[in-house]
Amino acid sequence: MEKDLFLETKNLEKAFDGIKALDGVSLKVYCGQIQGLIGENGSGKSTISSIISGIHTATKGEILLRGKPYRPRSPLDARDNRICMIVQETGTISGLSVADNLFLGDEAMFLQHGSINRKKMQREAEKSLEKVGLSFDVTAPIETLSFETRKLVEIARALYFDPTLLIVDETTTALSYEGRSLIHKIMRDLKEQNKAVLFISHDLPELMEICDRLTVLRDGKLISAFRKEEFDERLIKQTMVGRSIQDNFYRSDFDASHGEKRMMQVSHVDAGPLKDVTFDLHEGEILGVGGLSGSGMHELGKLLYGMLPPLRGEVTVLQDTKSAGGKEIPVRVKNIQTAMENGIGYVSKDRDQETLLLNASIKDNLVISALDKLKTGFFILPRAEKEFSQKQVGSLHIKCSGVNQTVGELSGGNKQKVSFGKWIGNQSRILILDSPTRGVDVGVKTTMYQLIYQLKKQGCAILIISEELPELIGMSDRVLIMKDGCVSMEFQRSPELVESSIIEYMI
Amino acid sequence: MEEKNTLKSGFGSRILHWIQNYKQYIIQYFGLIFVIAVFLYLTDGDLFSARNLETLIRQLVVILTITLGMAFIYSHGGMDISVGAVVALSSLCATYVMNLTAGQVLPAILVSIAVSVTCYLLNIIVTNQFGLMSTISSLSVMFVARGIVTYVNSMSTDKIEVHNTAGLELFRSNTPFLIGTMAVLCIVMTVLFNLTKLGKQNRAIGDNPLSAMQSGVRVKKVKVEAYVLAGIMVGIAAVFSLSRTGSVSEKTGSGLEMDAIVALILGGMALNGGAKSRISSAIIGSFTYVLLNNGLVMAGVDTQVVSLIKGIIFLIVVFLTIRQPKSKKVLPR
C-alpha cells in the first residue's frame, strides 16, 4: 500500500564556508512510515535534518510539505508546521524544573491575569510525560534526572506539540538498552497513528529493525534507498563506505591468551557506585567491560585512571620499569599523575568534552599529554612537537590538512584517532577506552578495531568499556559484565559466546 | 573531497576564509598600523619626534611589563582587575624600603615583587579554593590593596615620597636601559609562553579544563604558576611606575587595570583564553594602546573626550574579535 507523501526535498544543497555538506539530495518522507537515514560521519545526515527542522537554511533546492513549498526560518517555524526534532546533544537547561524545561519558550500558554498558572503547567507537564510512559515529580530540577530520562523529557516536549514528522537525530547512541527500546516504541506508536518519523542513526542493525525505508548518504549525496524487503546488512554497509568491506570487522581469532604479567590489580574496591570490585588486567590482554549505563562501568574507567578515589580497597599498577630501575613493583594509583607516569592512558566516553581540546590544533592535542617526554632541558622545541605529531598522524592515518588543523574541524572518527594518538604517542602500556567507537562510523570502527588488536599484540593491556555487546564479544579476551556496581559475571573469549547469554547478567 | 570543494568555491570565498582564519592577526597589526598612520598625519610627524619617543617609551614600559604577565592569566581563561591597586601597594612598600635603606634600589625591587606576588597568590588561592570567578576574587584583592594604600595615605601627614630618588633615575629616564629591559622581558616571556610546559598547559586549560586535567595537567597548580609569574611582572612594573612619579598617593596606578585589558584586546587577545592566545597580543597591544593614548593628547583632543574615544574603540575591537561567525559554530560533525 502506498502511503501519503508528507515531505519531499528536491535537489537540496547546503554549503558551509564553500564546502558542500549536502549536494543535491532528493528525499521523500511518507506518513505512517519510519524513514531511516544512515551514512558515515560528515555524509550530511545531520545537515539535512537541521534544514528540515529549520536550524539551517538550504543554499539551493526546495522542500515540499504536502506538495506546498516549505522554507522554515527557525525551529519554531518548523514546529508550527508540525515538524519536531530531537538532537544528539542535551537540549535541556540545568537549574530549571522538569515542567519549566518542557514548556520553555511556551510559558505564554499558561498565562492568566499576567502571571503563569503553575498548577496548570504542572498538570500539562505530567500529562505530556505520561504520553511517553513516564511519571515523576515535574517540579524537580532537571539535573536530578539521569541523562537518559532527560532525553525522554525532550521527547515528551516534542510530542506534546503533536508533530506529524518527528526527527530523531542519533539520539539513541547515548542511551542504554531500556532507553532505546522506549524510543523505539514511541516511534512505532507514531507510525501506527499515521505520523512520519525520520530516524538518523549509526547503528545499522537498529535501523534495519525499526525502519520501513532506509536511505544511504555519502559525501553529501544520496547514494541509494532501500525498502524493508531489500534490507541487506552487507550491501548497505558497502553502499555507506563506497567500497566492499568484510562482513566481520572484529578480530577473527579465538585465541584468548595473554601475558602473565598483571599490569593492574583492582582488589575489593568500593568507590562511587562500585561495590567490592576485584579483577586483574594482564599484559597483552583485551578486557571488555559491559553493562547498562547505570551499572558503574564508566566509573570503573575513572577509577583505574585515578580520577575516582576508592573508599575501600586498592587499585595498583605495575610501576614503569624505567622509573623503578628495572624492578617492577605494583604501586597505588593515587591520582591522574601517578596513572600517567606508569603508562596508563584514558579516553573518555565524552571525547569532545573531556579528552580533546577542540579549539586547539592536532599538534597541541597530541603533545599535551607527552610534554615531559618531549622536553629538551626546560624547553619544548617546535621541531620535536612537529616530528612527534606528524608521526602519530602518519601511523594512525588521521585525515587532515596538516598537524596545525584545528581538531574541532575533524570528523568524529578522526577526532577519536587523535585521542588514541595522545596515549599511543606517549607510550602508554595500559589503555582504558570508554566507548571507543561511540559516534564513529563503520569504516573508522574497522580501523579502530585493527588498531586495538595491534596494540594487544605489542603487549598493551587494554580495557574496553562499551555498551555495544557485539563489540565486546568480538574484541575481548575476557568480558566482565557489571550490574548495580558489582561485577556480575565473567566470560572467556569463545566462538559460542553470544549476546543472549550475556544480557541476562546485565538486567 | 574537501579539497576539491574548496577549489570549486572560487577565489572570493577563499579570501574570506583566509580573513576568518587570520582575523586575530589582522586586527592586531592593522590596528597598530592604523593608529600610527592616523596620528602621524594628525600630528604632522611629531608623534615620532625624539622627545616624544622618550615619553612613549616611558609610558610603554609599565603597560608592556604588566600585559606580558597578564597574558598568562588570560591564556588559561582568567581575568584580573587588581593590577592598579597592586601596583599602588607595591610602590608604597617599595617607597618605605627605599627610605629605610637610604635610597637602595635592589631591596625595593625585591620587596615590590614580593608584595605583588603575595597579592596574586592570595587572588588565585581564593579562586582555587572557593571555585570563584577569578575576576571576582581579583576585585576583592583590588579593594584590600587599594584600601591599605588609601588608609596609609590618610594617616600620613606628609606626602609619601621617595626621599633619595637618585637610584630610581635609571628606571625613569635612561632610554637605552628601558629599551633593553623591555626587549629582555619580551624575549623571556615569549619563550616561556611558547616553548615551555607552563605556557602550553595554561593554554590547554583555557581551551578545556576537563580535557587538560585528563591529559595530566595539574590545573590548579598551573594556574598558581601563571599568577606568580604575573605577580613578578606587576612587581617590576610597580618599580617603573614609582620611578616616574617618585611618590605614592591613593590615586597611584588607578585605571591601570583597564589600560591592561584594553591593550590586550587591542592586541587581539582571546578573552576566553585557549589555543588562540598569543603573547604577541601583549606586545603589539601595548604599543597600539600607548600610541593611541599619546596620539590623542598630542593631536589636541580634550582630555575629557579621550576616555570616550577609547571606549568607542574598545567596543569596535570587541565587536570584531568576540563575534563568532555563525556558520563555523554550527557546522555539524
Side-chain angles (χ1 to χ4, degrees):
Chain A
M1 182 184 81
E2 198 60 21
K3 303 267 184 181
D4 293 341
L5 184 63
F6 178 66
L7 181 131
E8 185 181 5
T9 70
K10 280 187 174 165
N11 294 319
L12 217 52
E13 266 185 38
K14 175 73 186 173
F16 291 103
D17 286 334
I19 294 162
K20 270 189 192 163
L22 216 53
D23 194 359
V25 172
S26 302
L27 180 77
K28 285 177 181 168
V29 183
Y30 294 92
C31 287
Q33 277 199 346
I34 301 175
Q35 165 80 50
L37 207 51
I38 195 167
E40 292 192 295
N41 289 312
S43 60
K45 309 181 299 280
S46 294
T47 314
I48 192 162
S49 59
S50 30
I51 290 174
I52 296 174
S53 62
I55 297 171
H56 295 315
T57 47
T59 320
K60 252 189 223 161
E62 60 174 346
I63 310 175
L64 297 177
L65 190 71
R66 295 193 195 278
K68 293 192 197 83
Y70 160 75
R71 264 189 100 82
R73 287 180 307 271
S74 69
L76 268 181
D77 206 8
R79 200 175 75 186
D80 292 340
N81 285 300
R82 304 205 165 256
I83 295 173
C84 288
M85 172 154 105
I86 300 156
V87 291
Q88 188 178 18
E89 291 83 21
T90 34
T92 52
I93 297 172
S94 303
L96 295 181
S97 74
V98 175
D100 285 338
N101 262 297
L102 272 167
F103 296 111
L104 192 70
D106 303 302
E107 292 85 354
M109 295 185 336
F110 306 104
L111 218 53
Q112 226 167 41
H113 316 301
S115 68
I116 290 164
N117 184 340
R118 296 251 152 213
K119 282 264 158 58
K120 194 175 159 201
M121 185 161 153
Q122 282 156 20
R123 268 201 312 275
E124 284 300 306
E126 275 161 14
K127 254 194 241 164
S128 73
L129 287 181
E130 264 168 39
K131 271 198 200 172
V132 291
L134 292 173
S135 80
F136 49 80
D137 182 14
V138 292
T139 56
I142 192 110
E143 66 269 24
T144 57
L145 304 178
S146 70
F147 176 80
E148 202 160 306
T149 326
R150 270 181 277 166
K151 221 62 256 175
L152 294 171
V153 169
E154 277 176 63
I155 295 172
R157 179 180 150 85
L159 292 183
Y160 182 81
F161 296 97
D162 193 22
T164 315
L165 171 62
L166 181 72
I167 304 172
V168 181
D169 188 357
E170 290 190 33
T171 308
T172 51
T173 34
L175 294 185
S176 71
Y177 184 74
E178 298 111 315
R180 281 183 189 209
S181 15
L182 196 53
I183 293 191
H184 295 168
K185 185 179 167 296
I186 291 168
M187 289 195 283
R188 287 198 178 108
D189 286 350
L190 284 171
K191 179 184 159 185
E192 289 299 306
Q193 296 161 24
N194 204 30
K195 306 277 169 62
V197 177
L198 186 60
F199 183 30
I200 297 159
S201 175
H202 268 304
D203 192 343
L204 186 54
E206 184 185 20
L207 283 169
M208 287 181 24
E209 189 195 328
I210 302 291
C211 299
D212 300 302
R213 286 159 170 275
L214 192 55
T215 302
V216 181
L217 290 180
R218 192 173 75 222
D219 297 342
K221 293 188 182 76
L222 197 153
I223 299 301
S224 145
F226 299 89
R227 287 163 183 279
K228 184 132 198 148
E229 54 273 18
E230 301 163 346
F231 284 0
D232 172 39
E233 186 162 346
R234 208 170 151 164
L235 185 66
I236 297 175
K237 272 186 196 161
Q238 263 178 35
T239 326
M240 277 170 67
V241 292
R243 58 179 186 273
S244 66
I245 48 170
Q246 281 173 353
D247 199 21
N248 188 359
F249 44 76
Y250 303 117
R251 54 191 267 215
S252 49
D253 66 306
F254 285 95
D255 167 26
S257 67
H258 49 72
E260 280 307 303
K261 243 193 260 174
R262 286 186 287 190
M263 300 300 283
M264 287 197 86
Q265 281 173 278
V266 178
S267 55
H268 303 289
V269 168
D270 286 357
L274 302 174
K275 284 180 281 245
D276 198 30
V277 174
T278 303
F279 67 89
D280 295 336
L281 179 60
H282 301 86
E283 183 182 25
E285 179 184 35
I286 300 178
L287 179 59
V289 177
L292 300 178
S293 62
S295 64
M297 58 174 180
H298 301 299
E299 284 78 5
L300 190 69
K302 293 196 153 85
L303 174 82
L304 293 186
Y305 192 51
M307 276 193 287
L308 186 72
L311 298 171
R312 197 171 69 88
E314 215 178 29
V315 181
T316 57
V317 56
L318 214 57
Q319 197 165 34
D320 205 335
T321 30
K322 274 161 270 170
S323 52
K327 263 184 261 152
E328 292 194 312
I329 23 166
V331 287
R332 269 206 19 235
V333 180
K334 278 177 288 193
N335 50 27
I336 293 177
Q337 279 73 28
T338 49
M340 271 178 71
E341 278 161 22
N342 294 300
I344 306 180
Y346 173 76
V347 176
S348 162
K349 178 186 175 194
D350 201 345
R351 167 189 72 220
D352 285 8
Q353 300 303 321
E354 296 184 4
T355 303
L356 294 174
L357 308 165
L358 290 183
N359 292 320
S361 65
I362 296 173
K363 188 173 74 186
D364 288 343
N365 269 282
L366 288 170
V367 301
I368 188 69
S369 52
L371 290 176
D372 282 325
K373 296 211 163 56
L374 293 173
K375 267 205 280 195
T376 316
F378 186 61
F379 302 109
I380 297 148
L381 299 175
R383 208 186 57 202
E385 282 185 305
K386 203 174 160 197
E387 276 172 12
F388 176 83
S389 45
Q390 275 173 346
K391 195 174 146 211
Q392 294 310 318
V393 167
S395 65
L396 291 172
H397 305 290
I398 298 172
K399 260 186 244 163
C400 59
S401 61
V403 292
N404 288 320
Q405 193 179 5
T406 309
V407 164
E409 291 173 2
L410 300 178
S411 68
N414 282 307
K415 277 186 195 162
Q416 189 68 316
K417 284 184 185 172
V418 173
S419 36
F420 271 46
K422 277 172 71 163
W423 302 112
I424 296 169
N426 81 358
Q427 287 147 19
S428 296
R429 306 170 303 155
I430 301 158
L431 285 176
I432 300 156
L433 309 171
D434 195 344
S435 313
T437 57
R438 179 175 171 238
V440 158
D441 54 60
V442 186
V444 180
K445 261 187 186 175
T446 317
T447 336
M448 291 291 165
Y449 293 141
Q450 282 165 359
L451 187 67
I452 292 172
Y453 190 61
Q454 263 172 34
L455 289 167
K456 169 194 156 77
K457 287 283 163 213
Q458 288 162 19
C460 270
I462 298 161
L463 185 90
I464 302 177
I465 300 167
S466 175
E467 285 169 18
E468 292 179 41
L469 286 180
E471 175 173 298
L472 291 175
I473 297 170
M475 288 307 296
S476 316
D477 295 316
R478 197 152 58 99
V479 183
L480 300 180
I481 297 301
M482 296 201 59
K483 184 186 167 187
D484 302 329
C486 305
V487 177
S488 61
M489 194 59 197
E490 186 180 324
F491 295 95
Q492 289 293 329
R493 180 169 190 80
S494 89
E496 282 84 47
L497 191 57
V498 285
E499 267 181 83
S500 49
S501 53
I502 291 183
I503 277 184
E504 62 176 304
Y505 296 97
M506 293 169 58
I507 307 165
Chain B
M1 175 217 55
E2 280 181 16
E3 203 178 19
K4 203 170 66 196
N5 277 338
T6 324
L7 284 176
K8 233 189 274 174
S9 62
F11 191 63
S13 75
R14 250 192 301 165
I15 288 209
L16 271 177
H17 202 73
W18 185 85
I19 290 178
Q20 209 54 264
N21 277 342
Y22 294 94
K23 193 173 66 176
Q24 275 185 313
Y25 293 94
I26 296 169
I27 291 172
Q28 197 177 22
Y29 291 100
F30 181 78
L32 181 61
I33 292 164
F34 181 76
V35 167
I36 291 175
V38 166
F39 289 113
L40 270 180
Y41 173 74
L42 287 179
T43 61
D44 290 332
D46 282 351
L47 186 71
F48 285 159
S49 69
R51 218 176 69 88
N52 197 46
L53 274 179
E54 281 185 19
T55 317
L56 282 173
I57 286 164
R58 263 180 267 156
Q59 290 170 346
L60 184 64
V61 70
V62 176
I63 192 86
L64 180 65
T65 315
I66 292 173
T67 50
L68 280 172
M70 287 296 124
F72 283 80
I73 295 181
Y74 275 73
S75 73
H76 73 225
M79 185 179 249
D80 174 78
I81 53 172
S82 63
V83 180
V86 174
V87 163
L89 186 62
S90 298
S91 306
L92 182 77
C93 298
T95 306
Y96 279 120
V97 171
M98 281 197 81
N99 290 344
L100 281 175
T101 58
Q104 293 250 349
V105 186
L106 193 64
I109 297 176
L110 293 178
V111 165
S112 175
I113 291 176
V115 170
S116 167
V117 168
T118 312
C119 288
Y120 278 91
L121 273 178
L122 178 70
N123 195 335
I124 189 60
I125 288 169
V126 170
T127 308
N128 273 346
Q129 289 308 310
F130 303 112
L132 216 59
M133 271 160 58
S134 59
T135 323
I136 302 299
S137 60
S138 79
L139 190 69
S140 64
V141 170
M142 176 183 104
F143 280 122
V144 170
R146 180 66 67 195
I148 295 173
V149 175
T150 312
Y151 178 73
V152 170
N153 253 293
S154 70
M155 295 306 282
S156 161
T157 42
D158 307 320
K159 194 178 176 201
I160 300 174
E161 57 185 356
V162 182
H163 300 315
N164 182 355
T165 56
L168 290 176
E169 204 53 34
L170 180 70
F171 293 89
R172 194 175 75 82
S173 55
N174 188 331
T175 311
F177 174 74
L178 293 184
I179 293 176
T181 313
M182 285 194 283
V184 169
L185 288 178
C186 282
I187 292 169
V188 170
M189 298 306 267
T190 306
V191 168
L192 280 178
F193 197 84
N194 291 325
L195 301 183
T196 68
K197 236 172 123 170
L198 178 67
K200 288 181 185 302
Q201 295 196 334
N202 264 300
R203 272 174 284 163
I205 295 170
D207 261 327
N208 185 339
L210 214 56
S211 299
M213 191 260 285
Q214 293 198 1
S215 305
V217 177
R218 290 174 192 263
V219 175
K220 287 184 176 177
K221 183 174 153 247
V222 172
K223 282 188 177 177
V224 169
E225 288 169 357
Y227 269 77
V228 168
L229 192 61
I232 294 172
M233 296 302 277
V234 172
I236 296 171
V239 176
F240 284 113
S241 159
L242 177 66
S243 47
R244 274 174 68 193
T245 54
S247 63
V248 180
S249 74
E250 68 262 25
K251 283 251 171 72
T252 298
S254 68
L256 261 183
E257 56 278 347
M258 293 306 149
D259 294 348
I261 295 174
V262 177
L264 281 169
I265 289 179
L266 285 178
M269 180 56 108
L271 275 185
N272 299 325
K276 302 234 152 59
S277 321
R278 291 186 321 275
I279 193 79
S280 63
S281 297
I283 300 168
I284 302 294
S286 298
F287 273 94
T288 314
Y289 184 69
V290 167
L291 283 167
L292 178 70
N293 242 342
N294 182 281
L296 284 172
V297 177
M298 281 197 69
V301 178
D302 272 346
T303 37
Q304 287 90 334
V305 196
V306 168
S307 188
L308 180 65
I309 293 178
K310 277 199 268 180
I312 292 168
I313 293 175
F314 182 81
L315 272 181
I316 294 171
V317 174
V318 168
F319 176 75
L320 288 174
T321 46
I322 313 284
R323 207 174 51 109
Q324 290 284 331
K326 253 190 180 167
S327 61
K328 219 167 198 175
K329 271 235 140 147
V330 291
L331 187 75
R333 291 143 290 113

